[in-house]
Amino acid sequence: MDKTIRNWRFIAVVTSVLVAAAVLLLKPLPLLPEQQGLSGAASDDINSLAEAEALTDAQIAAQQAQAEHATLATLGSPDVTAPVTSRPAYVSPVEWLVLKRVAAQDEAPQESLAQLVNKLRFSKQVALWQSYQGARRMALGEQLLRAIPGQVEQRDLARADAHQLQRRVLYEIEPDPVRRQQRLQQQAQRIGVQFEVGEG
């Protein structure tokens, strides 16, 4: 298995573990005033650790699956911007509770929440890209190329890792060698990486 793929799969697994652990370990924190009552329109939203702890493993798994499915519907859409006042469909209720409480500890909670939501969406898109084949994988690859610069700008993705992911995606979705080299150079420039045509 490609080293980059292994790394991203590891990140996806760690993200899931952290979310599950946070349900049990996060200390109760007050929600921001603008977050209270604004968890989204979905009937399965949760607003307290007690509600999260009452969920069964099967319920959490079902919510995670729904959120992953909703991630596919975001192809082509831009990152969210602050303030994020309701739960995006691609963020599960447990994830939303965790992200809000983590963001509430930041000096700029609204900006932090938007960044965390975008980071989560990106990690889910990477995981989905790894799991699909055909046209859907191609579409997810193009989405990742659009999203990578934002992740680098937010310092959620190192330039070296971003460039590796760009290369991995383009070697799959761009069959023409000349065009692939041109796109590699363009994508590298978007994240501030020097790239010579003919490299790789």
Side-chain angles (χ1 to χ4, degrees):
M1 184 184 299
D2 182 89
K3 182 178 180 181
T4 302
I5 296 297
R6 288 200 303 270
N7 290 342
W8 282 110
R9 189 162 293 171
F10 173 75
I11 290 171
V13 170
V14 169
T15 300
S16 298
V17 170
L18 287 176
V19 168
V23 173
L24 301 176
L25 300 178
L26 274 180
K27 297 178 181 178
L29 293 171
L31 296 181
L32 301 173
E34 57 268 35
Q35 290 175 341
Q36 295 180 10
L38 292 173
S39 297
S43 60
D44 58 356
D45 279 350
I46 55 177
N47 294 291
S48 69
L49 288 176
E51 290 180 53
E53 290 168 349
L55 295 173
T56 66
D57 290 344
Q59 287 174 317
I60 292 175
Q63 291 176 352
Q64 291 296 116
Q66 289 177 352
E68 288 178 9
H69 181 73
T71 304
L72 291 173
T74 68
L75 294 181
S77 63
D79 285 347
V80 300
T81 56
V84 186
T85 56
S86 61
R87 176 176 66 84
Y90 53 85
V91 178
S92 75
V94 172
E95 289 170 336
W96 182 237
L97 177 67
V98 172
L99 296 186
K100 286 191 297 182
R101 291 180 180 275
V102 171
Q105 301 176 65
D106 194 86
E107 293 180 358
Q110 287 294 349
E111 289 73 14
S112 177
L113 181 59
Q115 181 174 349
L116 289 168
V117 167
N118 290 327
K119 182 176 183 178
L120 179 63
R121 176 193 178 202
F122 182 78
S123 69
K124 288 185 177 186
Q125 289 172 340
V126 172
L128 287 171
W129 172 70
Q130 293 170 358
S131 64
Y132 280 103
Q133 298 296 329
R136 186 164 284 178
R137 185 179 176 96
M138 298 277 284
L140 284 161
E142 292 288 0
Q143 174 66 36
L144 291 178
L145 293 177
R146 287 190 292 269
I148 285 171
Q151 291 297 301
V152 173
E153 184 178 352
Q154 291 178 172
R155 298 184 179 181
D156 287 327
L157 186 61
R159 280 188 172 83
D161 293 335
H163 186 48
Q164 275 294 103
L165 186 56
Q166 287 174 332
R167 290 165 61 93
R168 184 71 178 91
V169 170
L170 280 169
Y171 267 87
E172 289 194 5
I173 69 177
E174 185 54 70
D176 179 76
V178 175
R179 176 63 180 155
R180 183 168 61 238
Q181 290 295 307
Q182 292 173 344
R183 293 192 66 183
L184 278 169
Q185 186 176 40
Q186 293 167 356
Q187 292 298 323
Q189 289 173 348
R190 295 182 68 209
I191 61 172
V193 171
Q194 294 292 325
F195 178 84
E196 299 294 333
V197 175
E199 178 185 332

